[in-house]
Amino acid sequence: MAKQIRYDHFLHGGDYNPEQWLDRPDILKKDIEYFKKAHINTVSMGMFSWAVLEPEEDRYNFDWLEDVINNLYKEGIYTILSTPSGARPKWMADKYEEVLRVDPDRTRRFFGGRHNHCYTSPVYREKIYNINKKLSEHFGKHPAVILWHISNEYGGECHCPLCQEKFREWLKEKYGTIENLNSSWCTTFWSHTYNSFDQIESPSPKGENALHALTLDWKRFVTDRTVDFMRHEISAIRAGGSELPATANLMYDYDGLDYKKFKDVMDIVSWDNYPSWHKKDEYTTAVDGAMQHDLMRSIRKAPFLLMESCPSATNWKPINKLKKPGMHLAASLQAVAHGSDSVLYFQLRQSQGASEKFHGAVIDHYGGDDTRVFREVTEVGEALEQIREIVGSEIKCQAAVLYDRENDWALKDAQGPRNEDMHYQECVQKQYRALRRKGCNMDIITMEHDLSDYKLVTVPMAYMFYHGYAEKLCTFAENGGTLVISYWSGLVDETDKCYLEGTPHGLMEAAGIRTEEIDALYDWEENHGIPETGNHLGITKSYTCKNLCELAKVSDAEVMMRYSEDFYQGYPVLTHKKYGKGHVYYVAADMEAAFYEDFLGRAADEAGVDTPLDFVPEGVSVTTRETEDTEYLFIQNFAGKTETVSVSEEYEVIYGTDSENMSPLQTRILKRKK
Amino acid sequence: MAKQIRYDHFLHGGDYNPEQWLDRPDILKKDIEYFKKAHINTVSMGMFSWAVLEPEEDRYNFDWLEDVINNLYKEGIYTILSTPSGARPKWMADKYEEVLRVDPDRTRRFFGGRHNHCYTSPVYREKIYNINKKLSEHFGKHPAVILWHISNEYGGECHCPLCQEKFREWLKEKYGTIENLNSSWCTTFWSHTYNSFDQIESPSPKGENALHALTLDWKRFVTDRTVDFMRHEISAIRAGGSELPATANLMYDYDGLDYKKFKDVMDIVSWDNYPSWHKKDEYTTAVDGAMQHDLMRSIRKAPFLLMESCPSATNWKPINKLKKPGMHLAASLQAVAHGSDSVLYFQLRQSQGASEKFHGAVIDHYGGDDTRVFREVTEVGEALEQIREIVGSEIKCQAAVLYDRENDWALKDAQGPRNEDMHYQECVQKQYRALRRKGCNMDIITMEHDLSDYKLVTVPMAYMFYHGYAEKLCTFAENGGTLVISYWSGLVDETDKCYLEGTPHGLMEAAGIRTEEIDALYDWEENHGIPETGNHLGITKSYTCKNLCELAKVSDAEVMMRYSEDFYQGYPVLTHKKYGKGHVYYVAADMEAAFYEDFLGRAADEAGVDTPLDFVPEGVSVTTRETEDTEYLFIQNFAGKTETVSVSEEYEVIYGTDSENMSPLQTRILKRKK
Amino acid sequence: MAKQIRYDHFLHGGDYNPEQWLDRPDILKKDIEYFKKAHINTVSMGMFSWAVLEPEEDRYNFDWLEDVINNLYKEGIYTILSTPSGARPKWMADKYEEVLRVDPDRTRRFFGGRHNHCYTSPVYREKIYNINKKLSEHFGKHPAVILWHISNEYGGECHCPLCQEKFREWLKEKYGTIENLNSSWCTTFWSHTYNSFDQIESPSPKGENALHALTLDWKRFVTDRTVDFMRHEISAIRAGGSELPATANLMYDYDGLDYKKFKDVMDIVSWDNYPSWHKKDEYTTAVDGAMQHDLMRSIRKAPFLLMESCPSATNWKPINKLKKPGMHLAASLQAVAHGSDSVLYFQLRQSQGASEKFHGAVIDHYGGDDTRVFREVTEVGEALEQIREIVGSEIKCQAAVLYDRENDWALKDAQGPRNEDMHYQECVQKQYRALRRKGCNMDIITMEHDLSDYKLVTVPMAYMFYHGYAEKLCTFAENGGTLVISYWSGLVDETDKCYLEGTPHGLMEAAGIRTEEIDALYDWEENHGIPETGNHLGITKSYTCKNLCELAKVSDAEVMMRYSEDFYQGYPVLTHKKYGKGHVYYVAADMEAAFYEDFLGRAADEAGVDTPLDFVPEGVSVTTRETEDTEYLFIQNFAGKTETVSVSEEYEVIYGTDSENMSPLQTRILKRKK
Ligand SMILES: [Zn+2]
Ligand SMILES: [Zn+2]
Ligand SMILES: [Zn+2]
């Protein structure tokens, strides 16, 4: 069972690299003074300190770190301690080549960068085990240390012979016999049949790269290897005696790993959020970040930590824009609104050199506290203290949208119908945004999530159905749930093998339709969905569709909308069927966002999904967190102009103005007894 | 001499992969039932079956294939049998690394994909020899088997040491002495002189890549190696006792091989056609495909086979669009109109997995015959039976356009004048389209083709003239032919060495002009050709030119059009000279398509090129096939609206409506006694 | 001390490759006849002749070269003799692999191309030493030979083990201890600390590539290696007995080398100029070339040689446009106007094959002298004879703009604030153009240049300040100079390590401002600078800024312009401070070109920068050269229409029309006694 994580206050602070300033004690001292001033109560350390912590093989040097931890702790500042596996010392790479990663073309990388190690290498595993254990022994019971931060932004893959061998073992365990693997992978195609597991190699641009089942299993293996490596890291910490909880910082929509597999290995989810504010309209950026917050929270269906965010401009994007006044506070509170128990930054003090020296920081090269950024960070610290009672509260959702990484992998690797872009994430996000617009909390779920808590579940572009997943969806609808299926769903099983005898597999009866063909549109083409008079939900407007238009044959469903053009004019765009105690809707085309707001808004009402407000103006974001007896209501105005948001009288303001007229970027937080 | 190919009916069917369904006898049985229903009379098999046919080294398993062939034959369905060299088994690549290809950077590929073998490897040659011979022994006299399909879409190149060695031998044979090679290749430039043949290496992005003569000879060598490999494959079949004809399936405008060199090694040409219908206007797509059909037919100046086409949407293009109703039938009959004796598909039944699982097929994953695609395929089958008498008839041409792959290679590899794009194919196609618009049949010829059959020959952008080619063109004109030369012609010989003393080499006398300079235009620039009053052909309109404008000096020719702008205003754009019994025209600039319709239309009339119709509406395609005593007239409407096409009363309708009003995508086929 | 270079006439001629025509004595003879006709007095030879000069190891063959030199000399034509290191013979690469270059991925290139040798290889150094010495012995005292042309367009880098070893030595010499290097490079970041110099490897895309200080030192090392190699080449020439001066031909804005480091190794600077005339308006192209001429001249602050230029169209650009009539003459005289003592071409006769066969030449494949190009070349020869008295005269400048390659490297490699494009060169060029527009001569200087000659110095985007550079700038202003600093200046020291405590480092006092933040704008964004009423220079117009907007805090300066928009509306865009006897201006944003014309025009007037004309029409270029007692005034009309340029009566026309009305592309050259 996971360690219980529950802080009695929000964590505020972030990445801190005192090892860069050991020759400047005046600066280290000044830092603490500034932290206090900015209401910073937590720092993350050690992430990239391996070369300082173990400057030569088996010679450890922890004193400087202990001093810093103690000095901070004296001033009430806690430490999140990292394991240093994210970047290894040069001496190790020089002595043990095997710790470095091998690329898909089978050439080994040279020392450099980060994320450049083999997860399988016995040497690397031994080295990280030793230092993690020592760190645990040394700091694991220090009262200042509150959490283990395992490695940094796990990612990437290694194709070395050691990893190849592990991959073969993994496959053997999964498939048992080579005949079973051949059959599951359809290797007869292009004569790619394997005679034995020994013959299998990882995908490569210089070799096998179009056997989708191989690619898919390789990606799964990479996730499993990474999880296994993380378990290994934690086992060293446990061996060192520390029982503190552990996390790993995840990344925005990262498709190199299937994060759902990290659910059990980490005690609390944390992630790094770097939105590009002021590039598009603020609400669009806000929704995009909100979906990721919800995705991260849904992994464990529990509060998470915002482990990194930028107090100012980043330095690694094409254009690194300043945050306008108020943006930093709004973005920080948005994380809390979606379930974060922290606002942490990369970085507290800017490094003087190397590749991230111009990445925004609480304290910049100038080194003063009389900066705009320092003032805005301080405001966040003050706000978090003001709303301290909210820490640890939960988020309850009655609606969920399926966004599964395995589906994403399979769908994108498949050839056809639209290799240019299938617009999978966009489709998910259009559905998410439509429901978020109503002010209802949302989970972002995978095929493994239990559905029984929800009233409404949408399943956009669910190309891959695990065996049994269709039954799970049917049961959900039969029991009274509203199920929204879309085009390009239920085509293949978990080995990317096509289901025969019609699609969406296992749902043709429930939806009352079968798909016959799918048309791909050029970017300059469009079609339209025209509502049928008197349709089930009373939709009256027409909407545009693009990219993909499925041709479905109705067996037993109400056609609610039909195509207006092309040879499939009159074919269904939206259908409905009452199924068991619930409803099943089918969307046949890639509809515009406004369609989903209209359709899903009505479907959510029909499904009885609760919302805290009667009306939410466009551009305003609404979420709730709750404890056993209290509900906290977050209202944030990302609309770009003043909006009036009426709230029922039972709510009491705990942060922000009393007025219901909210200026741009303003946040109000209210509460009511349940 | 080539084997005589003459079927008494059109072949209808295509690629079939029963090895993917050996555990599903119910499906194999159902397939035959469906084939009969769709008027399918021929299947191609074995193309990617090596791993099933020889699952372990020297252990062969042909029983399953024999069963399938027999079962099909019982129902009147013939088999085209493939040699399996297109994809090799894993065991072979693992045991004999040399069978895999080496890339230009000299690294060997890993097992995977297709088209990944060394054409030189003695091992690979032995392995393919053995299995081909056995296939021949086993199936070569089976009454169901009608044709050998050698490998699949030959292509690509290998830079392994074995191939390097062969390349050196090839060069030695070609040039005799290293001094001769040095002189031909101009190696003095940049000090690249070779002391011996041993020093020569194939071109590489990491080494020699700007010695054009080397690159050109390497490309020729690759073609020769491939032809040699195909000869080797066929020799095994002959050794096995089969005397059936052989083909190899060629590809759309494929520039990796010089297809003219395959003329003698294959008994009949076949090719794979995957046009992107509905992307541009239908007629543009139709012309593009028509030119390829004509190119393929011109290789042997004989009917060919459409070996692959897609019954529905492909899966490997950026956007894989459905064919609208009627498109499949029109496209299939277009192939016949241009000389095909077959309509064959990839694929008859969709594979359940791997990279082409979503490629269109006669029978899809759903598996029923109640689909739109199945119905349209059936229509094609019925049509082919209705016009059966046309099979084997010839196409006669009085006009031809030069489109030579060696010229294409040299022209594109040359540096200057316009490295961004010389628009060679576009120029060829504008001339082709202009003449096709009149309804006259066209050959697409190479420098090796005999010219004596033609009344009109156009030579667009013929940068390279083999030694003697200019004389061949002169003789053609002297004897009464109309010769149309363009800018950027006659600059280099077959080693890409510049002719001295003026260009177009060997034609300055015949054309009455000499080119002095060539201007390259930016994409946003244009000039115009203005007709001279009373010019030889009575042209009255002005036309735009772009990209390339040559400055020619007239010695003895009529200037028909002149530039309207820039410092070369007044210089000739179009000239004419009466030469011997014929005419020589020179086009100095990259003129727009409308110019060629006007100019070549008039030149063809002058030359006496026959056309079956007096008037062809824009967007309508007209071709003829003929036997000793009968002419078959194909009229297809690709115009996008109804067109009236008047036909002389001597024609009798054998397919399509009696009415001269043709709806979009309609085809009419008529005949008359000659 | 550098050899004295002073010819008594302009050099006219260029690259000549008789080794390509040794079997055509008729052509070699014809060439001389043509050279005389075109007033060609100088040829460059031997650049790519190694394979002919040393066809086998240690067997030399100089006879052919001696014959050609003698034959030319008999007709009064001089020879610039090249060392042949630019391209090595095949036998050498085959026998000694180490002479070929190793790429950043640590794979060695194969033989081919040019610029493909290791500058460290003892073998290569020995081979080039031997042949250079022999060439020197043989030709070094020949009266026809006037200059050594060392190698050809030095460039590129080698990552072989020999070079790696030299790099480590170089670093050891520079930093002394590894601790010092670690601290200077900030290697603590990402745990990249080195334990010893032995551990250091050159940057690689497969390894370390974001440690900016490493990358920067590697680039410096590459320059030092190249300079060292050039010294080595020259030492062989000296050992062979020749005391003739030496040059190397440099390239347009080449960022692979820091040309300022070649100042002392070459006796005279020469460079190769290939502008893309007629792509943009002529004046824009003219300014671009002018800045390069000035940059080249500023390296040694002395006349230079135009070593290569194209008499017609190039063949290696995307679009190779013909020069319109008059362009060649105007471009040739522009070089002279900016300090060139030659007009030399690549190439005199077109090669018959290989990659540059279509590069423009004085004599083309046609081979006649009745061509437009030949006539225009002859005009240049005549003009150079007409203005012969100008040869050797100097250019004096009172204004300079800083454009330092090390700054360029560091600025571009840095991450942030705008990785898409910082527009450094554009910013420099806008300032250069603004001052050139007034008709004042300009130097393009580096951080190493002495400033005491100048009245006005602009320092655009001077991201890197060597330690002490700020003091140098302050002293310049204190002593009465006008200093113009811009945004993104003074951030890092020479190891790319950020200065702490505020920027622009060392100039906050002098400028009276400190920068606080910098905003990066998307391409579709802009802001504006609005002048303050009554500002110091009387600027009254508003101007647009894009890309980068700095937020500066004023301590002690006059704000002359302010931002009009965004949250930093009202922040300064332009400030002024009287400092010592001079002025310091600060420009906070990337302003449009018109701003600089307005602002720098006024600032130059204030600074008392002299200009030869009272008014220069837009599009007209004005420069002066001078001897002890005479000033030569060049006026060139690049405006695209006739312009009237009034000149004081003290000037006398020595070239061009008497009229002050100048047609497009016309040049007038006048002189006056000083
Ligand atoms: Zn590994
Ligand atoms: Zn090979
Ligand atoms: Zn080297």
Side-chain angles (χ1 to χ4, degrees), chain C residues 308-322:
Chain C
E308 291 184 18
S309 63
C310 184
S312 171
T314 59
N315 76 319
W316 46 266
K317 297 187 182 185
I319 305 296
N320 297 287
K321 216 169 176 52
L322 293 178

Side-chain angles (χ1 to χ4, degrees), chain C residues 259-275:
Chain C
Y259 282 158
K260 71 173 174 272
K261 302 295 187 187
F262 287 77
K263 175 170 179 279
D264 296 325
V265 72
M266 54 174 81
D267 301 301
I268 185 167
V269 168
S270 68
W271 82 288
D272 303 343
N273 185 25
Y274 294 99

Side-chain angles (χ1 to χ4, degrees), chain A residues 34 350 364-373 375, chain C residues 485-491 499-518 550-557 559 563 571-572 575 577 586-588:
Chain A
Y34 284 163
Q350 271 186 324
D364 64 14
H365 298 131
Y366 158 60
D369 59 357
D370 57 340
T371 64
R372 187 173 74 94
V373 171
R375 279 189 301 275
Chain C
I485 314 162
S486 90
Y487 58 98
W488 206 241
S489 286
L491 280 93
Y499 287 114
L500 302 183
E501 295 170 21
T503 56
H505 173 76
L507 290 175
M508 289 177 286
E509 165 63 20
I513 58 107
R514 179 172 67 73
T515 62
E516 292 189 302
E517 299 184 71
I518 188 161
E550 232 175 31
L551 282 56
K553 180 173 184 156
V554 176
S555 54
D556 174 26
V559 178
Y563 289 113
Y571 276 62
T575 65
K577 181 174 171 184
Y586 192 85
V587 181

Side-chain angles (χ1 to χ4, degrees), chain A residues 530-660:
Chain A
I530 310 288
E532 290 286 283
T533 313
N535 64 71
H536 177 66
L537 289 175
I539 295 171
T540 57
K541 287 195 191 152
S542 296
Y543 294 101
T544 301
C545 53
K546 294 182 67 92
N547 304 313
L548 291 165
C549 292
E550 230 174 35
L551 282 57
K553 182 173 184 156
V554 176
S555 53
D556 173 25
E558 177 205 339
V559 178
M560 294 173 59
M561 298 181 91
R562 295 180 190 276
Y563 289 112
S564 64
E565 284 128 73
D566 215 327
F567 74 88
Y568 40 91
Q569 182 185 352
Y571 276 62
V573 167
L574 177 65
T575 65
H576 165 256
K577 183 175 171 183
K578 190 87 190 71
Y579 183 71
K581 297 185 202 150
H583 299 270
V584 179
Y585 292 93
Y586 192 86
V587 181
D590 184 357
M591 303 301 293
E592 64 180 314
F595 163 79
Y596 285 111
E597 291 203 15
D598 190 347
F599 159 55
L600 288 179
R602 292 166 191 264
D605 287 343
E606 181 186 53
V609 174
D610 298 322
T611 53
L613 299 189
D614 291 338
F615 171 73
V616 180
E618 196 168 347
V620 171
S621 176
V622 174
T623 62
T624 57
R625 294 182 68 160
E626 56 194 279
T627 60
E628 219 162 296
D629 56 3
T630 308
E631 183 193 279
Y632 297 97
L633 175 65
F634 291 73
I635 310 175
Q636 299 199 280
N637 181 7
F638 292 107
K641 59 180 186 6
T642 298
E643 293 290 352
T644 304
V645 188
S646 303
V647 179
S648 123
E649 294 195 351
E650 57 185 324
Y651 286 102
E652 163 195 355
V653 178
I654 62 168
Y655 180 82
T657 59
D658 283 336
S659 163
E660 294 193 333

Side-chain angles (χ1 to χ4, degrees), chain B residues 106 190-192 195 199 201 206 208 212 415-417 419-420 496 498 501 514 517 519-520 525 566, chain C residues 48 50-51 55 90 94 103 107 110-111 113-114 315 317-318 320-322 324 352 355 357 365-366 372:
Chain B
R106 310 299 191 256
W190 288 357
S191 241
H192 288 183
N195 301 70
Q199 288 181 343
E201 302 162 85
K206 288 189 70 73
E208 196 72 89
H212 305 299
Q415 297 219 47
N419 297 312
E420 205 167 273
D496 198 48
C498 288
E501 294 170 21
R514 179 173 67 75
E517 299 184 72
D519 197 21
E525 293 183 308
D566 214 329
Chain C
F48 293 118
W50 202 337
K90 186 72 167 75
D94 284 9
D103 282 333
T107 59
F110 316 134
F111 179 82
R114 311 182 272 175
N315 76 319
K317 297 187 182 185
N320 297 287
K321 216 169 176 52
L322 293 178
K324 298 188 196 300
Q352 207 178 347
S355 69
K357 63 180 171 296
H365 298 131
Y366 158 60
R372 186 174 74 95

Side-chain angles (χ1 to χ4, degrees), chain A residues 98 100-102 118-121 158-163:
Chain A
E98 71 168 57
L100 296 177
R101 206 162 268 188
V102 168
C118 171
Y119 292 137
T120 300
S121 156
C158 176
H159 295 255
C160 82
L162 297 165
C163 287

Side-chain angles (χ1 to χ4, degrees), chain A residues 48 50-51 55 90 94 103 107 110-111 113-114 315 317-318 320-322 324 352 355 357 365 372, chain C residues 106 190-192 195 199 201 206 208 210 212 415-417 419-420 496 498 501 514 517 519-520 525 566:
Chain A
F48 293 118
W50 201 337
K90 187 71 166 74
D94 283 8
D103 281 333
T107 60
F110 315 134
F111 179 82
R114 310 182 273 175
N315 76 319
K317 298 187 182 185
N320 296 287
K321 218 175 173 49
L322 293 178
K324 298 188 197 297
Q352 208 179 345
S355 70
K357 62 180 171 295
H365 298 131
R372 187 173 74 94
Chain C
R106 311 297 191 258
W190 287 357
S191 242
H192 288 182
N195 301 71
Q199 288 181 342
E201 301 163 86
K206 288 188 71 72
E208 197 71 88
H212 304 299
Q415 297 219 45
N419 296 313
E420 204 168 274
D496 199 48
C498 289
E501 295 170 21
R514 179 172 67 73
E517 299 184 71
D519 197 23
E525 292 182 310
D566 215 326

Side-chain angles (χ1 to χ4, degrees), chain A residues 191-205:
Chain A
S191 242
H192 288 183
T193 311
Y194 296 99
N195 301 70
S196 76
F197 284 98
D198 295 341
Q199 288 181 343
I200 298 173
E201 301 163 86
S202 67
S204 170

